[in-house]
Amino acid sequence: MRTSMYDRISERRIREEQRLEQERLAQEVLNAPPPPPERFHTNELSFVRPEGFKDKTFHVFTLTDIGPSPLSVVIGRTPIDGAIDLETMAQQLLADLNKALSHLEWIEPLCPAEVAGVEARRVEFSWRQQGQPVHQLQLLFLHYDEHQQPLLIQITGTSNAPKGMTLQERAAFYSLVDTLELRKPSEDEPVKSA
């Protein structure tokens, strides 16, 4: 049975659309981000993080087991939109601090710094909490999680010394910061700059 010219044109158009769709799907596979490493690592252990679980990890270091510590260091990580730069994130944080903390006093305004070889921001301030002085020194920088998603990393030293952070507390804070090394992606993961 012979087909009409219009049937042949239609069949050719359908074959061309199918070929283009297959090429598009193949290109999507090539452009897909690599899968994250199988295991999620903390200091002492690793596990497989179920899809959809958000990591809101905080590491808290204190000098005492019970009651308020004279000095604490908290390392927090917050997932962010990859389009936001460090300066914008730092300015948003300062605006949030201004709203949240009463009697906020800026000791050192936001300034450039470096942590583990990457660009960072540093800020120092104090406020009163239940009538008692609290002094904080914060370092902020961008890094990536095991899924290669951007993170804001905050390292915060908090002192409740009446006259602000002591020289010994400041030295302890910076001894931790100065030894910080960022975890690099494994061999099969692409490296992204922070």
Side-chain angles (χ1 to χ4, degrees):
M1 169 167 129
R2 296 192 67 177
T3 58
S4 73
M5 175 179 77
Y6 297 111
D7 290 338
R8 288 190 303 267
I9 291 172
S10 178
E11 289 171 358
R12 192 176 312 139
R13 182 180 50 80
I14 290 169
R15 281 193 306 272
E16 179 65 13
E17 287 174 355
Q18 288 172 340
R19 183 187 66 77
L20 290 173
E21 179 65 10
Q22 287 174 343
E23 286 178 6
R24 185 189 67 77
L25 292 173
Q27 191 62 43
E28 278 184 10
V29 168
L30 290 174
N31 292 340
E38 182 178 327
R39 304 203 58 80
F40 179 87
H41 293 270
T42 70
N43 196 36
E44 289 82 20
L45 52 96
S46 71
F47 54 89
V48 176
R49 179 164 47 145
E51 191 170 325
F53 274 39
K54 305 222 180 290
D55 178 13
K56 296 185 176 185
T57 303
F58 281 90
H59 293 278
V60 180
F61 304 91
T62 65
L63 298 173
T64 59
D65 287 329
I66 300 172
S69 176
L71 174 69
S72 64
V73 176
V74 175
I75 301 173
R77 49 198 311 283
T78 306
I80 61 168
D81 176 3
I84 297 178
D85 65 357
L86 177 60
E87 186 65 26
T88 302
M89 287 300 305
Q91 293 296 335
Q92 286 177 359
L93 176 74
L94 294 183
D96 292 345
L97 288 172
N98 261 329
K99 291 177 192 172
L101 300 177
S102 61
H103 308 290
L104 182 64
E105 179 184 329
W106 299 104
I107 295 167
E108 183 176 341
L110 191 65
C111 63
E114 186 176 294
V115 175
V118 299
E119 178 185 14
R121 295 293 182 271
R122 177 191 132 109
V123 66
E124 193 168 347
F125 54 93
S126 65
W127 79 96
R128 294 187 111 27
Q129 182 176 29
Q130 298 174 351
Q132 299 301 312
V134 178
H135 185 108
Q136 277 194 346
L137 177 58
Q138 286 194 14
L139 291 164
L140 315 164
F141 62 94
L142 301 179
H143 195 47
Y144 295 89
D145 70 9
E146 83 278 15
H147 294 274
Q148 293 299 296
Q149 298 303 307
L151 298 170
L152 174 67
I153 307 291
Q154 291 176 257
I155 304 174
T156 305
T158 304
S159 170
N160 58 14
K163 294 184 179 180
M165 191 174 283
T166 67
L167 291 176
Q168 295 85 358
E169 291 171 339
R170 192 175 294 275
F173 175 79
Y174 279 112
S175 71
L176 182 150
V177 171
D178 291 344
T179 59
L180 189 118
E181 294 178 3
L182 298 178
R183 181 172 290 183
K184 305 285 189 243
S186 67
E187 297 296 319
D188 41 333
E189 290 180 75
V191 176
K192 289 186 178 182
S193 61

